[in-house]
Every structure is written in structure tokens, then in C-alpha cells.
Amino acid sequence: MSDVLIIGTVAFDTIETPFGKVEKALGGSATFASYAASFFSSPAVISVVGNDFPKDYVELLKKKDIDLEGLQVSGKTFHWDGSYEYDMNEAKTNKTELNSLENFKVKVPEKYKNIRNVFLANIDPEMQLETLKQVNRPDFVVLDTMNLWIKIKKKALIEVIKKTNVLLLNDGEARQLFDTVSLVKAANRALELGPKAVIIKKGEHGALLFTKNKHFSAPSYPLENIKDPTGCGDSFGGAFIGYLAKTKDLDEKNIRRAIIHGSVMASYNAEDFSLDRLKKLAMSDIENRYKEFQDIREF
Ligand code: AMP
């Protein structure tokens, strides 16, 4: 039985970074999130792909015991074309072909409806809301989004935030959403909407956790070989909720540990394109880098 429900995109990604280019590689927020979560828990995915989606990609996800009953098939697969310059904290969207995502109607399979942990990975906030409507009151909801939805669907996004336990944003999105340069003010405004915790991801500079009375600063990892940051936010979120689902402890101290597991996964993900680095990852790699993170913080 799955313990983490993930809605998001399963995509073809065409990506160019200063270190190379890939065309129509496997990507999408639900792909990275579920793959990262699968190291700790049993994810179940809700998304859509086209008839052009290769069987190999499906097999890759199934091999990690990711439940794909909620993966609909129709038309052509969503295609994102993005690029990065030397500052890899910000992706530039060159082209978005929605394809089958355009008419996607969320349908949560019966057997997913009692899953206790839900990750609303980056997708249209109205689809995130619809997912919450169809499930039976989960214990724990984590939400991720992107600049596009802040710009064009802010009202729906605020509605989802109100139903969320933990909100994930990157620093640029936090400033954009709450119209302030201060990340502390942005986090406080987000907490006023209902979430118990807000995590502001700062790309290669680590992540900040804000709760009502506490603040934690997760270190960044000094990554030597970085090729492609696509999917780092999604891998972070997937590992974060996967770790919490496995440990079943929502205490602030354990949330800190979950953030470091998220950071470990995101740092590995950036070492290669698509899922290429995560595909080779062993649990011992995760544990070793987790220890390195602990050392970085000791003084
Ligand atoms: P990130 O973790 O923020 O780097 O997410 C990258 C992933 O987001 C890529 O694999 C894309 O396929 C996916 N993506 C790009 N645009 C959108 C969009 N408008 N909605 C949902 N997912 C998207």
C-alpha cells in the first residue's frame, strides 16, 4: 500500500545548460518527486502522459515500486523546453507545450483515496485543489508551485496554501507571491494563511525553515560537478515527504532532518541530466552525504 500520494507533471524535458543539452528526456515534477520519495517510501502518482510516452520510462518508475494506476494516457506528452545560464538558480522557459495536460481531469483512483501523505508537486493549482477534494482528509499535505502559477492563478494558489501543512517555495517565488524583498516577512505572511511550516529553498545556497516561533537554516552542499538543476526542487520535495512518511514523526527536529534528506537528494540530482544521477544512487550514497551535511554544520 502506498504511503505518499503525488500529483504533478510527467514530462518530456528539452534542457540546455552550460554543460550540455538533452532532448525529450524524462522529466516533470511528479517524476522527480516520486523517484526521490521512493528511496524512503512507496509513492503513488496522479498525472497524464501521451501515447508517445516510451515504455522504458514507465518501466524505470515501476522498478522503484512507484504506483502508476493514476497515470492517465491521452494525446501527446507535456513538453517543457528550458535553459540555464551560468547562474543555474533560475530556469528560463523557452517553450511549454501543454498537450495532454491541457484537458487533464484529475481522477484519484479509489485505492489512493486513503493515503495519509499528499505531495501537491508543481502543476496547475486548480488540479491540486481538485486532488484534495477527492481524497479522504489526509494527515499531511505538502505544496510546491512555480512562478507561472503565482502570476496567472494566484487566487487558486492561495486557496491551496490554506489547505496545506508545509509550503515549499524558492526565494524568488516567496518574494513574488507576497510582494516583499524580506524572506522573513514572506514566510510570516505564508504562515498566517495556515501552513505550520514554510520552507524557502535557496538553490545552491541551502534552505530556510520557518515555523511559528522557530527558524532553521539548512546548509548548502559544496557541489563540484553540477550539470543540470532541473528537478532539484521536486527531488527535494519528494525526499522531504518520503522521509517524513517513513519516520512518521512531524516534530520540528524531524522536519529539519527531512529538509537535509531533501537537500541531499537535490544535490545528487543536479550532478546529471534528467534522472541519470538518481538512477545510479544507492542508499549508502544518501547516508554518506547526510553525514557530510552534519559535518558542514558542526562548530
Ligand atoms: P524544478 O524542480 O523546479 O526544476 O522542476 C522542473 C520540472 O518542472 C521539469 O521537469 C518540467 O517538466 C516541469 N515543469 C515545467 N513547467 C511546468 C509547468 N508549467 N507545470 C508543471 N510542471 C512544469
Side-chain angles (χ1 to χ4, degrees):
M1 163 84 183
S2 304
D3 53 3
V4 179
L5 171 59
I6 298 174
I7 174 167
T9 50
V10 176
F12 285 145
D13 281 353
T14 294
I15 313 276
E16 186 163 9
T17 80
F19 309 103
K21 182 166 179 165
V22 289
E23 290 198 26
K24 290 200 166 180
L26 176 58
S29 57
T31 305
F32 288 106
S34 61
Y35 205 88
S38 73
F39 286 89
F40 309 97
S41 64
S42 305
V45 167
I46 295 177
S47 194
V48 63
V49 291
N51 293 299
D52 51 354
F53 195 69
K55 284 207 170 57
D56 291 1
Y57 289 178
V58 173
E59 287 313 310
L60 186 71
L61 301 176
K62 280 195 174 157
K63 246 172 59 192
K64 294 293 282 181
D65 284 333
I66 297 168
D67 193 328
L68 297 177
E69 193 181 307
L71 183 66
Q72 299 175 28
V73 183
S74 109
K76 275 174 75 181
T77 303
F78 169 67
H79 179 204
W80 182 66
D81 182 323
S83 54
Y84 302 82
E85 312 242 326
Y86 270 97
D87 174 5
M88 297 223 262
N89 281 329
E90 207 176 335
K92 179 170 163 254
T93 295
N94 302 319
K95 203 165 56 175
T96 302
E97 293 167 349
L98 287 178
N99 298 334
S100 56
L101 203 58
E102 195 158 7
N103 298 312
F104 176 48
K105 298 263 176 298
V106 172
K107 186 162 184 339
V108 179
E110 219 38 61
K111 73 171 194 200
Y112 287 10
K113 289 192 174 169
N114 285 319
I115 298 178
R116 305 321 304 151
N117 304 286
V118 175
F119 182 27
L120 306 170
N122 177 27
I123 198 165
D124 185 330
E126 285 174 25
M127 296 175 184
Q128 295 175 322
L129 275 174
E130 183 56 33
T131 305
L132 289 182
K133 255 192 217 151
Q134 293 182 28
V135 296
N136 298 326
R137 235 188 138 70
D139 296 330
F140 190 61
V141 179
V142 178
L143 168 66
D144 193 13
T145 189
M146 73 183 291
N147 51 7
L148 173 72
W149 309 122
I150 298 173
K151 203 163 136 200
I152 68 170
K153 295 230 174 154
K154 192 163 171 176
K155 212 167 143 234
L157 180 61
I158 298 284
E159 281 315 298
V160 206
I161 294 175
K162 289 181 182 165
K163 298 177 191 304
T164 294
N165 298 89
V166 177
L167 171 64
L168 307 178
L169 290 169
N170 67 34
D171 43 0
E173 291 160 358
R175 291 188 174 107
Q176 184 191 355
L177 181 56
F178 296 106
D179 205 11
T180 169
V181 289
S182 162
L183 293 179
V184 180
K185 278 194 181 140
N188 285 335
R189 295 269 308 281
L191 290 172
E192 280 165 17
L193 291 172
K196 288 275 170 284
V198 178
I199 296 168
I200 300 185
K201 300 167 285 179
K202 297 175 71 192
E204 60 181 329
H205 306 298
L208 302 170
L209 166 70
F210 294 90
T211 51
K212 195 153 174 270
N213 301 311
K214 281 200 165 154
H215 167 204
F216 167 64
S217 169
S220 65
Y221 183 79
L223 198 61
E224 206 176 331
N225 299 310
I226 162 162
K227 273 196 189 165
D228 174 21
T230 306
C232 283
D234 314 311
S235 314
F236 178 100
F240 173 79
I241 196 165
Y243 179 79
L244 289 172
K246 175 184 167 186
T247 51
K248 296 189 176 66
D249 173 4
L250 296 178
D251 188 69
E252 202 257 351
K253 275 274 155 58
N254 203 46
I255 290 187
R256 293 184 183 205
R257 289 190 277 271
I259 289 175
I260 302 299
H261 281 90
S263 305
V264 165
M265 199 62 76
S267 70
Y268 275 123
N269 179 64
E271 290 182 3
D272 213 337
F273 287 90
S274 186
L275 288 178
D276 291 356
R277 182 64 184 96
L278 298 193
K279 273 188 319 203
K280 295 183 204 135
L281 204 63
M283 207 54 208
S284 55
D285 297 321
I286 295 173
E287 284 158 7
N288 289 340
R289 193 162 284 183
Y290 185 84
K291 285 197 197 101
E292 282 185 74
F293 265 90
Q294 285 177 315
D295 287 345
I296 290 171
R297 228 337 93 91
E298 210 173 49
F299 59 89

